[in-house]
Amino acid sequence: MASLNSPITIVRPHLIEFGVGTAGKLGKWADEKGYRRTLVISDAFNASRIDVLELKGEVTVFADVTPEPDTANLEKVLAAANAADAELIVGFGGGSAMDLAKLAAVLAGSTQTLHEVVGPNKVRGPRKVALAQVPTTSGTGSEAGIRALVTDPATMAKLAVESLHMLADIAVIDPALTFSVPARTTAATGVDAMAHCVEAFTNRKAHPMVDIYAIEGTRLVGKYLARAVKDGNDAEARAGLSLASLYGGFCLGPVNTAGGHALAYPLGTRWHVAHGAANALIFPHVLAFNTPSAPEKKTKAVMEALGRETSGNITSVFDAAYAFCAELGIEMKLSGLGVPETDLDAMADDAFAIRRLLDNNPRDLSRADIRAIYAAAF
């Protein structure tokens, strides 16, 4: 764990608009900047309501974002971006739309290819277009970060690009856009936001400057997630989750996630399990596994933030974390998500190869440990 005198770099979108009813501020901002050609990258549902953004001028919409987007989906986005010749690119949707918007902003019209920029700090700048992010779910925190992920279908692996050139010029976080998110999706994405915070809080690279966002984001999920699942129009609860998601995004840049996300990724790449649902299922297993190595006060703080009491041992931590997710109606068995037991070995191989996250984990996760967690979750 890092100490107060450990160096750290913190970045944020240049402008953040937050609050119920703020979506239209994007159009006003873009108009003041003089942007007349805009490309909105979205899924079909959100594309049907882009009027809330109040964009002026020539607006082109790419409405074919797929969940857990792959390189083929990115190629379609880049073709649309090149054709639109946009001055402003807007990611409007969940993490998939926002990640594709980041990549489009740096790759459209560039001589660099995706594979040339995979990894940290390989994108050549400066960026030629403006970038705005408008989340419509409360989970990924992608609006705040500098990373983007797409799946390589040939290897079933996530390709991660990290660059300051993918930082948004403006993030508009309007909790009203999340009112229509179904209860099951609300639950899963809420746990994803919380997982970002918890994994950063207990991370080997955890830092006091990030801890404050991490534990507050966890507390917000503990306080508001069940309320939002019960009543999707609860504005205060939705705002609380939107803020938790934003705080989780703040954690991703300087600290990032760890074992939980590494084990969740193969569920998405191999079996197209939604990212939030995958993280929710894995969360109690990895949190409990890490308990002996995470500072005791941190595990205790996480459980208190979620409104749960434990005795501090692995079993009690697992039981409490599992109950938190299960009580939200989340499917907590791999078999229930259609994952066959015959694929657990391949999934373990995939997860064990994600060193960029596993190396952050407070307790070493061997390939056998990962396989055992999948078996326990089956």
Side-chain angles (χ1 to χ4, degrees):
M1 306 293 173
S3 61
L4 273 172
N5 58 359
S6 300
I8 190 170
T9 300
I10 304 291
V11 295
R12 301 283 183 272
H14 299 298
L15 177 62
I16 297 175
E17 296 283 3
F18 183 96
V20 173
T22 57
K25 290 190 174 184
L26 177 60
K28 181 180 179 181
W29 173 86
D31 189 47
E32 290 174 348
K33 292 290 185 179
Y35 301 132
R36 292 293 176 262
R37 296 188 307 280
T38 301
L39 171 66
V40 179
I41 297 172
S42 187
D43 57 88
F45 170 73
N46 285 301
S48 69
R49 55 174 181 167
I50 63 166
D51 288 351
V52 300
L53 303 179
E54 299 182 16
L55 293 164
K56 299 179 181 179
E58 183 180 340
V59 180
T60 303
V61 181
F62 177 89
D64 195 24
V65 170
T66 59
E68 303 293 321
D70 61 12
T71 52
N73 201 201
L74 174 62
E75 288 301 321
K76 291 181 180 179
V77 168
L78 293 179
N82 287 325
D85 190 26
E87 299 165 302
L88 169 65
I89 291 177
V90 179
F92 183 44
S96 297
M98 291 188 284
D99 279 9
L100 289 175
K102 290 176 189 175
L103 292 169
V106 297
L107 291 178
S110 170
T111 58
Q112 288 187 287
T113 66
L114 171 64
H115 288 277
E116 288 174 335
V117 299
V118 170
N121 307 316
K122 294 183 180 179
V123 174
R124 290 195 297 266
R127 192 175 67 215
K128 298 177 181 178
V129 299
L131 176 63
Q133 300 284 24
V134 186
T136 62
T137 63
S138 299
T140 69
S142 184
E143 68 274 10
I146 58 172
R147 289 186 176 89
L149 302 173
V150 290
T151 300
D152 183 342
T155 63
M156 295 292 184
K158 292 277 189 179
L159 302 177
V161 179
E162 176 184 344
S163 173
L164 284 170
H165 296 301
M166 296 195 300
L167 186 66
D169 296 294
I170 182 172
V172 180
I173 301 135
D174 185 345
L177 296 172
T178 70
F179 287 2
S180 59
V181 177
R184 187 178 297 275
T185 305
T186 297
T189 54
V191 175
D192 184 30
M194 181 262 292
H196 293 157
C197 294
V198 171
E199 290 179 44
F201 190 62
T202 57
N203 201 298
R204 281 177 176 166
K205 296 191 294 187
H207 193 285
M209 194 170 180
V210 173
D211 280 355
I212 189 169
Y213 295 114
I215 196 61
E216 178 62 9
T218 305
R219 188 192 68 80
L220 287 166
V221 171
K223 182 175 181 179
Y224 291 117
L225 182 53
R227 276 176 52 178
V229 169
K230 183 178 180 179
D231 179 6
N233 292 313
D234 184 332
E236 182 182 45
R238 289 295 194 181
L241 293 181
S242 292
L243 188 57
S245 182
L246 179 65
Y247 285 172
F250 288 170
C251 295
L252 293 179
V255 176
N256 208 4
T257 54
H261 270 65
L263 270 67
Y265 279 144
L267 278 69
T269 55
R270 286 183 168 274
W271 295 101
H272 306 293
V273 175
H275 180 65
N279 272 291
L281 186 150
I282 292 296
F283 169 69
H285 295 273
V286 175
L287 180 68
F289 177 87
N290 287 341
T291 295
S293 297
E296 182 180 356
K297 65 176 183 176
K298 285 203 164 185
T299 301
K300 182 180 180 182
V302 166
M303 300 316 298
E304 288 178 348
L306 294 177
R308 305 282 164 152
E309 292 185 4
T310 74
S311 62
N313 61 41
I314 290 177
T315 301
S316 67
V317 169
F318 174 82
D319 289 344
Y322 187 98
F324 177 83
C325 296
E327 289 169 10
L328 295 166
I330 296 171
E331 173 58 58
M332 296 302 290
K333 293 293 183 181
L334 290 173
S335 55
L337 292 173
V339 177
E341 192 170 11
T342 53
D343 206 45
L344 299 189
D345 283 311
M347 287 168 52
D349 290 339
D350 289 353
F352 187 62
I354 307 176
R355 303 316 310 176
R356 67 183 181 85
L357 300 184
L358 290 182
D359 289 346
N360 296 339
N361 207 59
R363 183 182 177 190
D364 288 336
L365 270 161
S366 68
R367 194 265 184 198
D369 292 327
I370 294 170
R371 178 62 171 79
I373 288 175
Y374 284 148
F378 189 77

